Amino acid sequence: QTVVTQEPSFSVSPGGTVTLTCGLSSGSVSTSSSPSWYQQTPGQAPRTLIYNTNARSSGVPDRFSGSILGNKAALTITGAQADDESDYYCVLYMGRDIWDFGGGTKLTVL
Amino acid sequence: QVQLQQSGPGLVKPSQTLSLTCAISGDSVSSNSATWNWIRQSPSRGLEWLGRTYYRSKWYDDYAVSVQSRITINPDTSKNQFSLQLNSVTPEDTAVYYCARSTSHLDYWGQGTLVTVSS
């Protein structure tokens, strides 16, 4: 069974840039996987940041951007702020009307 | 603005049925461009898509393999809502359950309901 992979944790300095990735245990991520990215803080429902690889959801600051880097989807945060400290999840379309979540990346801003 | 409001019990006994409802405002459960999903989250399993219902001239549903023998998702057009039923629950089904709308992605989420399976 193919698993969606993400870095378990990452840290970034305030004002810095960080790229989180989303891959597959077997195979490559492409735009046909329609990657989307969600931000979640404790006790809250996930919030959509990016969909269809690089489309920014309404109200999301432009310091968040999505792309394909090599064989993975990527979420880049440019000019990280303290309130970007959250869990970040990617979702990929796996075919046959199935969507699968990554395990999430815990981002620390310090 | 789409809003999803979840309701249902937070405690279910083992072997019984978990039932949750998601009331929709700002859209229709019969929309031809949306699907209506249930997702759960637990420390051990992370975020897990459970299934969906949607209308494309007729009603369809899809379920995750992990729960497909125990799950039913039903639309209720009279109340503009949809429901989740998960049968024969065990403590492993303890999780926060979310309903969510999907168009090209999961764009609107309910507030989440913590369901604990315990006697």
Side-chain angles (χ1 to χ4, degrees):
Chain A
Q1 180 184 356
T2 301
V3 175
V4 179
T5 62
Q6 294 184 247
E7 300 88 356
S9 62
F10 231 115
S11 64
V12 61
S13 299
T17 295
V18 62
T19 296
L20 312 181
T21 68
C22 175
L24 291 170
S25 59
S26 175
S28 299
V29 177
S30 68
T31 55
S32 63
S33 303
S34 296
S36 53
W37 291 90
Y38 301 82
Q39 179 190 50
Q40 188 181 34
T41 52
Q44 299 296 315
R47 166 201 179 199
T48 309
L49 296 176
I50 301 289
Y51 62 97
N52 290 347
T53 305
N54 55 14
R56 204 174 294 114
S57 188
S58 177
V60 173
D62 59 8
R63 67 176 184 276
F64 293 92
S65 61
S67 63
I68 299 292
L69 287 180
N71 61 352
K72 295 183 179 183
L75 172 71
T76 300
I77 307 172
T78 304
Q81 300 182 1
D83 61 3
D84 295 336
E85 188 163 290
S86 302
D87 294 329
Y88 291 86
Y89 294 90
C90 70
V91 176
L92 300 178
Y93 179 64
M94 307 295 276
R96 296 187 175 182
D97 295 320
I98 300 296
W99 297 80
D100 209 359
F101 288 88
T105 297
K106 185 176 187 64
L107 180 67
T108 301
V109 180
L110 51 74
Chain B
Q1 178 78 350
V2 175
Q3 292 189 325
L4 304 177
Q5 182 66 41
Q6 298 177 218
S7 59
L11 180 64
V12 182
K13 289 182 167 51
S15 80
Q16 295 192 343
T17 297
L18 180 160
S19 296
L20 296 173
T21 298
C22 183
I24 303 163
S25 58
D27 199 352
S28 170
V29 71
S30 304
S31 166
N32 275 298
S33 59
T35 69
W36 304 97
N37 301 262
W38 286 99
I39 295 150
R40 67 182 178 184
Q41 185 175 28
S42 65
S44 60
R45 302 172 73 103
L47 281 161
E48 179 184 15
W49 177 84
L50 298 177
R52 64 180 183 176
T53 187
Y54 58 102
Y55 185 77
R56 301 290 186 267
S57 302
K58 69 175 185 176
W59 289 101
Y60 295 88
D61 51 44
D62 300 304
Y63 300 124
V65 170
S66 60
V67 294
Q68 65 182 11
S69 64
R70 303 191 288 131
I71 189 172
T72 305
I73 297 175
N74 283 323
D76 182 343
T77 56
S78 66
K79 296 181 179 179
N80 200 30
Q81 62 187 29
F82 63 109
S83 64
L84 167 70
Q85 286 196 309
L86 188 64
N87 302 324
S88 304
V89 297
T90 71
E92 285 71 43
D93 294 310
T94 294
V96 177
Y97 286 76
Y98 293 100
C99 61
R101 186 186 84 163
S102 176
T103 50
S104 62
H105 62 289
L106 296 159
D107 52 8
Y108 290 97
W109 296 65
Q111 79 274 23
T113 302
L114 173 59
V115 179
T116 302
V117 179
S118 174
S119 55

